[in-house]
Amino acid sequence: MAQGKGFGKTILFGEHFVVYGMPAVASAIGDYTLAEVEPSKKTEIIDNRPATEGYKETKREEMQREFGALFRFFGVKPEKNPLKITLSGNLFCTSGVGASAALAVSISRALNDMLGLGMDDEKINNAAYAAEEAGSGKPSGIDNTCSTYGGLLWFAKGLGGRPNTMKRLSIRKPVEIVLGNTGITQETKVVVDDVAAWGKESPDEFRQILDDYAETASKGKQAMQSFDMRKVGLLMDRNQELLRRVGVSCNEIENIIGIAKDNGAAGAKLTGTGRGGYVICLTPGEGLQGKVAKAIEAAGFGTLKTTIG
Ligand code: PMV
């Protein structure tokens, strides 16, 4: 049976601002979606991925558009040649962890395997981007890029048809993080559109926020490379303040951030779409990671302990 994996991701710096050409720092995480594809008598999709309640219902139409785009990209006609697609893996699907990109990459790799196309990562990334585009409008491409290549990346979307820029960042050793799950699913496109509408209403303030963000991201990248996690944390807090101002935070996110900071996290911010989804808490060292995860869980939120870099 043909199969493929796509990794989840977390954004350290830059969600939303990346849509406007600002650079972002993101990392793949070890958790992945696995797709298995085989010819069958009828086309069926069996979705065994673990997910937040309501996630699959909220994302149903987005997912159907992703599938349609992937079938077109690979020239597959399931009405003529039915396929059974089984989805599993340990990536817990909710907003903010790149679950739709992980899905697109896993299926692209599985179809590539089934059809014996020998595609390289660049082509897989293009296929996954086509799916993401059909699913959620105008994605920056950061999710599928992390999911395809893995590791820690500096990424900037090329505006006006220019190519994206991507640079791999290496750090001394992986750093522990806790992802705190608000349990709320949001449609990325809706929140991205709201930010665009706000930006049109308050152009001067938005420009200032983008400028502040550009400085924060550049210092964040430097701090990451010199392995100064205290500084990275402070800059993540600064990034969160800018995200609050464009209206993408919510009470549950702020609650998790408060708990993480009270328990010693170096920094904490929303990651991904916002208004729900995950909060990324920077917790260098397994001791701190365990302490912060326990405190977040005690408040009734799910957590995922993983590393970046
Ligand atoms: O919620 P996620 O993991 O799909 O991340 C969305 C990130 C945004 O910057 C809000 C949108 C994008 O296309 O980059």
Side-chain angles (χ1 to χ4, degrees), residues 114-236:
M114 185 182 83
L115 301 168
L117 299 173
M119 284 181 171
D120 60 10
D121 279 350
E122 194 182 337
K123 289 215 177 85
I124 294 288
N125 199 27
N126 290 342
Y129 182 77
E132 285 274 276
E133 202 174 22
S136 59
K138 285 197 187 75
S140 61
I142 191 168
D143 285 20
N144 49 281
T145 305
C146 275
S147 184
T148 304
Y149 293 95
L152 189 67
L153 300 177
W154 171 256
F155 174 93
K157 177 185 163 75
L159 299 182
R162 279 188 224 105
N164 298 336
T165 350
M166 185 195 89
K167 215 178 124 205
R168 286 197 126 114
L169 300 179
S170 56
I171 54 171
R172 212 189 304 149
K173 57 178 183 160
V175 185
E176 289 76 10
I177 59 163
V178 177
L179 293 171
N181 186 0
T182 63
I184 303 168
T185 304
Q186 287 291 352
E187 272 220 61
T188 305
K189 188 177 176 324
V190 172
V191 186
V192 168
D193 287 352
D194 281 357
V195 172
W198 182 85
K200 276 205 183 108
E201 270 169 35
S202 320
D204 295 340
E205 194 182 345
F206 196 36
R207 191 66 255 163
Q208 184 59 52
I209 288 173
L210 289 176
D211 287 349
D212 284 0
Y213 169 72
E215 199 191 321
T216 306
S218 153
K219 285 186 180 161
K221 177 183 153 199
Q222 280 164 26
M224 202 76 209
Q225 286 179 308
S226 51
F227 212 77
D228 184 347
M229 290 304 141
R230 209 185 59 86
K231 198 162 178 195
V232 173
L234 291 173
L235 291 159
M236 284 168 65

Side-chain angles (χ1 to χ4, degrees), residues 17-61:
F17 306 131
V18 74
V19 172
Y20 301 88
M22 294 288 137
V25 179
S27 178
I29 58 172
D31 301 54
Y32 61 86
T33 289
L34 177 73
E36 291 167 309
V37 181
E38 58 190 320
S40 178
K41 286 204 183 77
K42 63 170 181 140
T43 290
E44 55 178 337
I45 294 163
I46 299 163
D47 191 351
N48 294 329
R49 294 174 300 164
T52 286
E53 207 186 314
Y55 174 88
K56 290 179 190 174
E57 290 70 30
T58 310
K59 295 279 181 179
R60 183 161 292 135
E61 284 177 18

Side-chain angles (χ1 to χ4, degrees), residues 2-121:
Q3 57 180 31
K5 267 186 193 175
F7 290 92
K9 70 93 200 23
T10 184
I11 301 180
L12 271 103
F13 296 100
E15 49 280 282
H16 290 286
F17 306 131
V18 74
V19 172
Y20 301 88
M22 294 288 137
V25 179
S27 178
I29 58 172
D31 301 54
Y32 61 86
T33 289
L34 177 73
E36 291 167 309
V37 181
E38 58 190 320
S40 178
K41 286 204 183 77
K42 63 170 181 140
T43 290
E44 55 178 337
I45 294 163
I46 299 163
D47 191 351
N48 294 329
R49 294 174 300 164
T52 286
E53 207 186 314
Y55 174 88
K56 290 179 190 174
E57 290 70 30
T58 310
K59 295 279 181 179
R60 183 161 292 135
E61 284 177 18
E62 189 177 314
M63 199 169 140
Q64 276 164 359
R65 292 196 295 274
E66 282 206 31
F67 274 105
L70 287 171
F71 293 151
R72 279 193 298 283
F73 192 98
F74 284 89
V76 169
K77 293 197 167 57
E79 55 294 351
K80 278 195 195 141
N81 301 303
L83 289 175
K84 179 178 168 194
I85 300 179
T86 311
L87 303 170
S88 60
N90 61 356
L91 179 66
F92 190 82
C93 299
T94 184
S95 295
V97 79
S100 67
L103 172 76
V105 171
S106 66
I107 295 174
S108 299
R109 291 204 189 279
L111 289 174
N112 174 46
D113 185 19
M114 185 182 83
L115 301 168
L117 299 173
M119 284 181 171
D120 60 10
D121 279 350

